[in-house]
């Protein structure tokens, strides 16, 4: 079968690979759509967490062998550790991720544990299905922030995670939402989707700031723009280091929360949200063009904001 394979630093290639091995309670999924995640672009450019050769793809949906339409929750957890007992399955101590530790959805077919399958309800198209996984990240981040209705919200980054944070905050009745991004095209999309303002940087004061970039400079900006007592939620993974004013953090009693993944409940909530969203910022491409579009996005192409591959 055909698969897009991460073969080395900065390189993905369309290759012929063996059919998936079905083991234990695995189910074969025929992939219909799979999203390219910003973390994958970064991971291919600077390998570390992901080790080549690897078929990536953790944002995917398709049909089970019996024809059922399904979405895949790619976070696999043990169910036995202390974090799982607390309901923190997204930070399970034995966590594995489909597309990172196991072959993922950049392929025509993939084997996944049966427990990772979530039924795709009738009425949800495949484009929306391909956005459910990033949307679940935004749902989780919104919950971590306290689901603050009537809040002033700042969002750094108008990629897929930033835009889904915008849409979730709108659903959560935020009072005002401002989005920062260097790309004029992406700022225009954020405004079209409902952002009250957009610019290269945040310039106001906010109750909550979502950093969907994760660079040292955006970490600093997220805290500098918080009101005293506000909360910054960091979702981005661009840099391992953070630069910010620690004295301001203490004197302003500001909080920083890391946000990784989602719970099963967050994933289910995302399924219920995406049907009402404007997804005109999402583009679909054949898997055969995957290497070309992946490389273009990795090297800084601003559009489409979100690319889905369709095997």
């Amino acid at each position: 079968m055909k698969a897009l394979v991460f073969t080395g630093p900065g390189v993905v290639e369309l290759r012929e690979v063996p059919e998936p091995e079905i083991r234990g309670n695995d189910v074969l999924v025929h992939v219909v759509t799979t999203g390219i995640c910003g973390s994958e672009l970064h991971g291919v450019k600077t390998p570390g967490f992901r080790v080549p050769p690897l078929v990536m793809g953790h944002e995917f949906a398709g049909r089970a062998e019996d024809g059922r339409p399904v979405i895949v929750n790619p976070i696999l957890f043990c169910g036995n550790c202390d974090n799982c007992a607390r309901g923190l399955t997204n930070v399970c101590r034995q966590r594995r991720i489909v597309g990172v530790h196991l072959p993922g959805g950049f392929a025509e077919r993939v084997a996944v544990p049966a427990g990772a399958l979530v039924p795709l309800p009738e009425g949800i198209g495949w484009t929306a299905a391909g956005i459910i996984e990033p949307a679940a990240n935004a749902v989780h981040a919104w919950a971590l922030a306290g689901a603050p209705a009537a809040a002033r919200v700042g969002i750094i980054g108008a990629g897929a995670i930033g835009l889904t944070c915008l849409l979730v905050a709108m659903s959560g009745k935020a009072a005002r939402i401002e989005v920062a991004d260097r790309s004029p095209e992406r700022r225009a999309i954020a405004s079209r989707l409902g952002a009250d303002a957009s610019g290269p940087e945040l310039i106001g004061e906010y109750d909550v700031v979502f950093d969907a970039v994760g660079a040292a400079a955006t970490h600093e900006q997220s805290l500098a723009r918080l009101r005293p007592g506000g909360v910054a939620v960091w979702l981005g993974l661009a840099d391992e280091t953070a630069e910010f004013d620690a004295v301001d953090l203490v004197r302003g009693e500001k909080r920083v929360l890391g946000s990784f993944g989602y719970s099963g409940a967050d994933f289910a909530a995302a399924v219920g949200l995406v049907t009402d969203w404007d997804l005109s910022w999402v583009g679909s491409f054949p898997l055969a063009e995957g290497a070309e579009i992946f490389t273009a996005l990795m090297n800084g192409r601003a559009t489409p904001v979100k690319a889905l591959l369709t095997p």
Side-chain angles (χ1 to χ4, degrees):
M1 68 173 183
K2 299 292 185 183
L4 186 65
V5 185
F6 168 30
T7 56
V11 181
V12 291
E13 301 176 72
L14 187 69
R15 288 189 169 184
E16 192 74 28
V17 300
E19 289 289 335
E21 292 186 38
I22 306 298
R23 300 176 179 175
N25 68 341
D26 285 353
V27 174
L28 186 68
V29 174
H30 296 260
V31 179
V32 174
T33 187
T34 181
I36 297 175
C37 178
S39 67
E40 291 164 335
L41 301 174
H42 179 73
V44 167
K45 207 166 190 176
T46 56
F49 190 54
R50 293 167 176 82
V51 179
L54 174 66
V55 177
M56 300 184 299
H58 58 271
E59 307 175 354
F60 64 101
R63 294 188 182 278
E65 193 76 332
D66 60 6
R68 289 176 296 143
V70 294
I71 322 142
V72 175
N73 181 336
I75 299 179
L76 310 179
F77 55 91
C78 72
N80 299 314
C81 71
D82 56 336
N83 283 342
C84 285
R86 295 186 178 100
L88 304 175
T89 54
N90 58 314
V91 288
C92 167
R93 295 188 187 275
Q94 307 298 323
R95 177 183 66 207
R96 295 184 302 157
I97 302 173
V98 178
V100 177
H101 305 102
L102 302 168
F106 288 168
E108 294 177 301
R109 290 170 289 281
V110 59
V112 298
L117 301 185
V118 177
L120 181 65
E122 289 185 15
I124 297 183
W126 291 112
T127 297
I131 294 300
I132 287 170
E133 196 277 345
N137 282 272
V139 169
H140 184 68
W142 181 249
L144 284 177
R152 297 165 298 171
V153 174
I155 299 170
I156 304 175
I161 295 297
L163 292 180
T164 53
C165 282
L166 164 64
L167 292 164
V168 169
M170 289 170 58
S171 297
K173 308 300 181 185
R176 182 173 178 82
I177 310 168
E178 299 182 10
V179 177
D181 197 282
R182 293 178 179 175
S183 164
E185 294 86 0
R186 292 189 174 194
R187 295 198 302 268
I189 292 170
S191 295
R192 189 180 76 240
L193 293 181
D196 295 291
S198 62
E201 293 187 349
L202 295 179
I203 58 174
E205 183 181 72
Y206 309 92
D207 304 300
V208 179
V209 176
F210 296 101
D211 181 0
V213 176
T218 59
H219 288 149
E220 180 181 26
Q221 185 186 159
S222 71
L223 282 164
R225 289 300 170 186
L226 273 184
R227 67 161 173 83
V231 57
V233 182
W234 291 356
L235 301 87
L237 295 165
D239 290 343
E240 294 182 358
T241 58
E243 298 177 4
F244 56 88
D245 186 341
V247 172
D248 177 56
L249 177 75
V250 174
R251 288 178 175 165
E253 203 170 74
K254 299 177 180 181
R255 291 176 292 149
V256 177
L257 298 174
S259 180
F260 182 87
Y262 34 78
S263 66
D266 297 326
F267 202 92
V271 174
L273 287 174
V274 297
T275 52
D276 297 325
W277 287 357
D278 175 354
L279 298 177
S280 57
W281 47 278
V282 181
S284 293
F285 303 86
L287 180 64
E289 298 175 13
E292 179 183 353
I293 188 67
F294 190 103
T295 303
L297 291 169
M298 182 175 63
N299 291 331
R301 178 171 158 181
T303 55
V305 175
K306 187 67 178 181
L308 304 179
L309 301 181
T310 57

